[in-house]
Amino acid sequence: MRDSLEDLEIQLLLEALFQRYHYDFRHYARASIKRRLQQARDQMGYPSLSALQADVLHQPTLLPRLLGYLTVQVSEMFRDPGYFRALRETVAPYLRTFPSLKVWVAGCSHGEEVYSLAILFREEGLFDRTMFYATDINPEALRAAEAGIYPLDRIRKFSENHQKSGGRSSLSDYYTADYGRAVFDKSLRSRMVFSDHSLVTDAVFAEVQLVSCRNVMIYFDRGLQDRAIGLFRDALPRGGVLGLGSKESLRFSRHADAFTDMVASEKIYRKRAT
């Protein structure tokens, strides 16, 4: 009975967030969203999700804090180095055939992935012809991403990943250390655009040659995964490249036939020509 009451509270809270603030989490994987809401309830000091809902509805200043629980903001630069090595060795030579490039990082979190791609593209001679679009639904995450500042104690792992990905220089070439922080070079941001965009409710963001959306769709239910992949399909021209996370796949998507494997082991696909 308690579980069923809590499930009802979750349903009502998610509906309230959509109706009041237009954030739609109704089709996120239920087990994951339940875990995150329970954590928000406990750490924000509420006796029930209903009590949390009441305050969030009437106190908009609480929304950013709740969004921090509902949107996953855990990443690292060059996460899964094999993916970035595949981009470097297989995708970059292919992208050199394009006169100009647009890259879409969907669900950019605090920006670790878009900075990784910008560094990789600079090392591979593609940076100056590329625009990077980094999108997320969390305004605070977007502000953090645009700032490009990370705790210095995270840099060792970032640097290890960079080297494993085939980095052609030292990661330290791209940031300055300042009071326990690593501040990434403003020149990297000169080719970046940060924007609010929801894979749940918004239309195609732009036509791009590469979409990198990793470890985002694992939190979606099947229908929402299909919607997101449909957006990526429509954003990519023929021959455009799609990169997913290590636990994500096109295998069961209704859009799978629109793509062919490019680097199957790293979940990198290319949109078919026909």
Side-chain angles (χ1 to χ4, degrees):
M1 180 67 179
R2 182 177 178 180
D3 285 345
S4 62
L5 178 59
E6 188 170 63
D7 288 340
L8 177 59
E9 286 184 304
I10 290 170
Q11 181 180 337
L12 293 172
L13 175 52
L14 296 182
E15 186 65 34
L17 285 174
F18 177 65
Q19 295 295 336
R20 176 76 167 87
Y21 299 110
H22 309 294
Y23 284 101
D24 193 352
F25 296 96
R26 295 173 299 175
H27 298 287
Y28 277 50
R30 187 49 59 98
S32 172
I33 210 76
K34 183 175 183 177
R35 234 178 4 256
R36 287 188 249 168
L37 283 173
Q38 289 170 335
Q39 184 181 32
R41 176 200 64 203
D42 295 343
Q43 295 187 3
M44 292 174 73
Y46 286 93
S48 68
L49 291 175
S50 295
L52 172 59
Q53 175 185 319
D55 276 8
V56 169
L57 283 177
H58 295 284
Q59 300 179 46
T61 54
L62 288 176
L63 180 64
R65 188 174 176 190
L66 181 57
L67 287 178
Y69 290 98
L70 294 178
T71 57
V72 178
Q73 305 300 335
V74 178
S75 188
E76 59 189 38
M77 292 189 71
F78 295 93
R79 180 180 182 181
D80 301 322
Y83 173 81
F84 287 94
R85 182 175 285 277
L87 290 180
R88 190 184 298 276
E89 295 178 351
T90 303
V91 178
Y94 170 67
L95 293 179
R96 288 193 189 99
T97 65
F98 293 82
S100 63
L101 296 166
K102 293 179 181 178
V103 173
W104 178 15
V105 180
C108 70
S109 186
H110 289 160
E112 291 92 338
E113 180 145 332
V114 70
Y115 285 97
S116 301
L117 288 170
I119 290 168
L120 188 153
F121 274 51
R122 177 169 284 180
E123 292 178 339
E124 298 303 322
L126 293 169
F127 180 80
D128 290 338
R129 69 171 94 166
T130 305
M131 288 299 301
F132 300 88
Y133 297 94
T135 64
D136 205 279
I137 64 170
N138 187 322
E140 290 191 356
L142 285 170
R143 283 192 288 271
E146 191 163 9
I149 300 172
Y150 302 99
L152 202 56
D153 60 10
R154 300 185 67 197
I155 293 298
R156 181 176 178 179
K157 180 63 174 176
F158 292 178
S159 297
E160 290 175 358
N161 288 347
H162 175 236
Q163 289 303 307
K164 290 178 182 176
S165 77
R168 299 182 185 275
S169 59
S170 170
L171 192 65
S172 62
D173 293 341
Y174 302 100
Y175 69 85
T176 56
D178 179 27
Y179 298 103
R181 309 175 306 167
V183 182
F184 276 80
D185 194 333
K186 289 183 179 179
S187 67
L188 294 173
R189 297 196 290 283
S190 69
R191 308 293 297 177
M192 295 178 185
V193 175
F194 296 88
S195 179
D196 178 275
H197 182 274
S198 171
L199 297 173
V200 182
T201 57
D202 291 335
V204 170
F205 182 75
E207 181 176 290
V208 299
Q209 284 69 47
L210 169 64
V211 174
S212 190
C213 181
R214 304 174 64 237
N215 308 302
V216 174
M217 293 193 300
I218 54 174
Y219 301 106
F220 294 173
D221 67 15
R222 181 61 54 79
L224 188 50
Q225 289 176 6
D226 275 344
R227 185 188 195 280
I229 294 169
L231 288 179
F232 302 151
R233 177 202 63 195
D234 294 343
L236 291 166
R238 294 175 181 177
V241 180
L242 170 63
L244 301 181
S246 60
K247 296 180 181 179
E248 297 164 333
S249 175
L250 295 180
R251 184 177 176 186
F252 299 107
S253 170
R254 61 190 177 93
H255 303 295
D257 290 346
F259 296 89
T260 185
D261 289 341
M262 191 171 188
V263 186
S265 61
E266 298 298 337
K267 306 299 178 66
I268 298 174
Y269 308 90
R270 185 159 53 193
K271 186 176 174 182
R272 292 183 184 275
T274 57

